[in-house]
Structures are given as C-alpha cells and as structure tokens.
Amino acid sequence: MMKTAEWICTKCGVTNRKLVVPAASEVLDKCVTCHAKHRVVESPRPVRWDAAALK
Ligand SMILES: [Zn+2]
C-alpha cells in the first residue's frame, strides 16, 4: 500500500497530495498550481507533511 504525503505549497497555499512508498520519509514534489518545487518531509502529525520550497 502506498501512503499519501499531503503538503501545503509555501508559494500559493494550495494543498498538494502525492502517493509515496511506505518507507519514504522525504520526497521532492512540484506544486500542481504554481509548479514550485518543494522538499516535503514527513511530520509526526498524521497525513500532513512539512514542505519547504527549493531555491
Ligand atoms: Zn503552489
């Protein structure tokens, strides 16, 4: 089963979701709306991951 990384874009505030393998704790993703690349890191909180824009 894949798990869902849900993260908030730091540029436009939209919620993004990405399916990742269960072992993943960090993933690179791109905002669906503004296409800003983010590093998304699994958070202790369920579902919602922490996102940081890549410069
Ligand atoms: Zn965005």
Side-chain angles (χ1 to χ4, degrees), residues 7-16 31 33-34 38 48:
W7 59 277
I8 305 293
C9 179
T10 61
K11 304 286 188 189
C12 72
V14 82
T15 300
N16 291 275
C31 178
T33 300
C34 72
H38 286 68
R48 183 67 52 81

Side-chain angles (χ1 to χ4, degrees), residues 9-45:
C9 179
T10 61
K11 304 286 188 189
C12 72
V14 82
T15 300
N16 291 275
R17 288 180 188 83
K18 184 180 179 68
L19 280 178
V20 298
V21 295
S25 60
E26 181 177 317
V27 67
L28 295 179
D29 198 10
K30 202 167 61 172
C31 178
V32 291
T33 300
C34 72
H35 304 134
K37 285 185 180 175
H38 286 68
R39 179 189 309 277
V40 184
V41 179
E42 190 167 31
S43 156
R45 291 166 293 161

